[in-house]
Structure formats: C-alpha cells, structure tokens
Amino acid sequence: MDNLDSLVAGATADFAAAADPASLEDAKARYLGKSGRITELMKSLAALPPEQKREAGAKINAAKQGIEAALNARRQALADAQLAARLASEAIDVTLPGRARGAGVIHPVMRSWMRIEEIFASIGFDVGDGPEIETDWYNFSALNNPENHPARSMQDTFYVDMKDADGRLLCLRTHTSPMQVRYARAHVAKHAAQVASGDMPEIRVIVPGRTYRVDSDATHSPMFHQFEGLWIGRDVSFADLKSVYTAFLHAFFERDDIVVRFRPSYFPFTEPSAEVDMMFEDGPLKGRWLEIAGSGQVHPTVVRNYGLDPEQYVGFAFGSGLERLTMLRYGVEDLRLFFEGDLRFLEQFR
Ligand code: DAH
C-alpha cells in the first residue's frame, strides 16, 4: 500500500499526457476501469484479514478520490482548451468593415432618360415606346427618306437578316424618329372620329430609346440613346418648338445661363429644319456652341404618313442624343465610359 502515492502521481501524469478527451478516457480505464489498478486493489482487499481491511480500504479510497480529482481537473482543462480553440477559430473581428452588398446606382444615361421623362411630363407630354428592330418603312420611307434618297447615306445602318411584309430587310432603328410615325398613327386610330371632325386632341409625346449606327469612336458608339419629341396640333408653330426646347434645356441643366440658337439645316422629315445649338455662359465650356439636337417643322409628307391632313395639322419634332446631354451635364469627355461598366466611373453618380 505504500505505493499508493506514486499510483496517484502516475495517474495524474498519465492524465496530463492525454491530449484529448478520448485518450483521457483510455487513461482513466487503466486506473478506474473494470480491471484498472484501483479496482484490482479493491478486489485484493478481500484477501486481507478483517483488522487490516479497514485501514487499507480507507487508503485505497483516498487514492481513488485523488485519481478522480485529477481526472476531473484534466477533463475540465481539456474542455476549456477545446472551447478556447473553437472561440479562437470562430472569432469575428467586429471592427472589420462588413461585406455589404453594394446598392446599385442608376446609370447616368438612364438618369438623364428619367429626368427627361419627368421634365416633359410636367408640360403635358406622353412617353412613347417602340421596337428597336424596325421596318424599312418606319425607319426611312415614312420619314420622307425614300429608297435611293441620298439622305439614307447619312446613317450607316445595321440590317437584320430577316424581311418584313414588304420584302425589305429589317434594321436596327438608326434613330427614334420612326416612333413619331408609330405613335402618331396609333393616336390617329384612337381618335378617328375627332380626326374626321378636325378636333383631334394634340399629339404631344417624347420617345426615349436605344438607337444603332455603324459608328464607333470617342463620341460615337454603335448603340446609343436618343429621345424624340413630337407636338402636332392645329396651330403648333416653330415658335413653340423654340420655347419648348429652350425651356427643356434650362430644366435639364438646372441653370439659366444657356443661350440657344436654331441653325438652318436639312432633314428629310422636317421643313424647315434646324440644328439646335446651345452655349453655356459660364463654366469650362463657356462660349462654345454645342450641337444638341436636330429639329424642325414636320414635313407634310410625314404628317400624311401619320394619317393626318397636313393642311389641318402642323407641328414640330426634334431628336437629341441622351449620351451627349449626359456628357455635357456631368462633364464626361469620353462617351465610351458609359458602356465599359467600370464601377470607378459609374459609382461617381451615386
Ligand atoms: N433623327 C435625327 C437623327 O437621328 C434627329 C432629328 C432631327 C429628329 C430632326 C427629329 C427632327 O425629330 O425633327 O439625326
């Protein structure tokens, strides 16, 4: 029984050497298990004479308690270590910036699109929409731009390998102007009775949309955006065109120091036609005339293609590039930036 102290010391050392709960339980079995050292000692008590049993039993019990205490201490230590390791591995550094999902921003060109719709809605214009794959008739002929007319060469066109009912190739619309004709014809059909009696409600519409031309450099992209404006009534004049477009520019740029001029030009679908130029009286572009729109009084042939009598109905149309307006508003110098998808550029419009 003298070796009981070293038995406890040996068990304590074995427990300390167990690096994980499973090996600790193995070590425990060697002392406290069915055939463990303590259990064997207990069994050997039976062979002792009664007067020695008591004393020996008490000593073995004390040793057993010592071993159990060492076991529990080691169990706790292992559990603590395990928890500490887990906490360390799952640690969250709350001071790190979060991996937030960035909120998107509205593309600058779309932003102009929306602003333009709002500005024109505030003066009673509807917003039209139409196909980007257009027929030859709507894109050219209806706009007084017949086949073989030299004006067609003004635009290099993407054709689609598919023919319309007239046997002509479809094309990607080269401008939003075909929507003048589509919208006007739908309007005329809707108000047929009033058209006949000469009191058709006025046509007032803008049509923003994607347009396509074979063109690509710092100021041209094969896909770009325009918006078309059309106002047709009994006595809509060129003066109305000037006031509407000028008012639009002031609203769009949110500044008053803008000078506008209408420079005689040519478009097959208007007569007279004018290029609209504007100039800022201040800022980096001060004093430079900037071409901003094509416009004019709608040509009688086009009015006829709306389904209206040009002797009764007159009005004006205009078309502007959305990219161009957006570049001027935000001081963007290369149009390609709009289509490269570079977040460093786009996020500046947040
Ligand atoms: N469609 C012309 C273009 O893309 C722009 C234009 C000019 C539209 C005069 C019009 C207009 O409505 O009257 O170059």
Side-chain angles (χ1 to χ4, degrees):
M1 298 289 158
D2 291 344
N3 59 357
L4 279 176
D5 284 347
S6 61
L7 186 65
V8 174
T12 307
D14 276 4
F15 295 160
D20 55 80
S23 26
L24 181 60
E25 294 313 305
D26 285 348
K28 170 201 158 184
R30 289 202 293 279
Y31 296 94
L32 301 172
K34 257 190 198 155
S35 48
R37 304 280 293 279
I38 291 290
T39 319
E40 295 297 331
L41 285 173
M42 288 293 199
K43 284 180 193 162
S44 70
L45 283 179
L48 291 181
E51 60 277 13
Q52 289 180 27
K53 249 188 211 166
R54 219 179 121 89
E55 196 191 343
K59 282 187 179 159
I60 296 170
N61 250 331
K64 186 183 176 190
Q65 279 164 14
I67 290 172
E68 280 172 349
L71 174 68
N72 286 334
R74 184 60 185 154
R75 273 186 182 147
Q76 189 60 50
L78 284 180
D80 287 351
Q82 204 173 32
L83 180 65
R86 200 171 135 205
L87 287 177
S89 75
E90 291 175 6
I92 296 171
D93 182 349
V94 293
T95 65
L96 284 176
R99 255 176 276 163
R101 203 173 300 174
V105 302
I106 293 176
H107 190 280
V109 173
M110 283 309 297
R111 194 182 269 243
S112 292
W113 177 319
M114 290 155 71
R115 283 174 53 76
I116 288 167
E117 286 187 359
E118 272 170 32
I119 293 167
F120 278 96
S122 75
I123 51 169
F125 277 64
D126 192 13
V127 176
D129 186 20
E132 289 171 31
I133 299 178
E134 193 49 285
T135 64
D136 190 90
W137 191 77
Y138 278 110
N139 196 76
F140 297 113
S141 308
L143 293 162
N144 195 33
N145 204 335
E147 210 172 358
N148 303 323
H149 190 290
R152 281 201 186 190
S153 66
M154 285 160 69
Q155 300 166 351
D156 263 325
T157 307
F158 289 109
Y159 284 94
V160 178
D161 193 9
M162 200 185 282
K163 289 181 176 165
D164 62 19
D166 300 332
R168 297 187 185 283
L169 287 177
L170 296 173
C171 65
L172 300 186
R173 66 180 176 196
T174 57
H175 48 181
T176 43
S177 304
M179 274 307 297
Q180 284 182 25
V181 187
R182 285 187 178 274
Y183 185 93
R185 287 168 72 90
H187 183 93
V188 166
K190 191 167 147 196
H191 303 283
Q194 287 155 292
V195 171
S197 61
D199 57 357
M200 176 192 79
E202 289 189 339
I203 297 172
R204 249 179 266 137
V205 67
I206 58 154
V207 185
R210 275 187 286 270
T211 48
Y212 303 84
R213 284 181 211 175
V214 184
D215 223 349
S216 187
D217 59 40
T219 50
H220 297 89
S221 147
M223 189 284 299
F224 59 104
H225 298 80
Q226 287 191 333
F227 79 99
E228 193 79 9
L230 180 66
W231 186 350
I232 298 289
R234 294 302 297 250
D235 54 6
V236 180
S237 73
F238 211 95
D240 293 316
L241 164 63
K242 289 177 105 167
S243 68
V244 164
Y245 203 86
T246 304
F248 158 69
L249 287 177
H250 286 150
F252 181 79
F253 288 103
E254 294 176 283
R255 47 197 283 191
D256 295 325
D257 66 325
I258 296 176
V259 187
V260 183
R261 79 176 175 198
F262 287 74
R263 178 165 45 85
S265 183
Y266 169 76
F267 296 101
F269 29 92
T270 43
E271 179 59 38
S273 305
E275 212 86 56
V276 186
D277 299 333
M278 58 170 270
M279 187 171 76
F280 293 115
E281 289 179 303
D282 210 346
L285 293 170
K286 174 180 174 173
R288 255 172 64 190
W289 284 112
L290 308 159
E291 202 177 297
I292 202 80
S295 68
Q297 181 167 322
V298 179
H299 193 286
T301 300
V302 179
V303 174
R304 223 171 275 121
N305 287 332
Y306 295 162
L308 294 173
D309 175 4
E311 296 295 327
Q312 287 191 63
Y313 292 99
V314 288
F316 64 79
F318 56 80
S320 284
L322 276 186
E323 282 79 6
R324 178 103 170 112
L325 285 167
T326 310
M327 286 167 84
L328 290 173
R329 179 164 154 86
Y330 296 111
V332 175
E333 273 161 18
D334 191 332
L335 170 134
R336 289 170 291 204
L337 283 168
F338 289 135
F339 306 118
E340 283 168 353
D342 187 332
L343 292 179
R344 289 169 302 179
F345 171 71
L346 296 172
E347 281 181 343
Q348 295 178 56
F349 298 90
R350 192 176 286 285

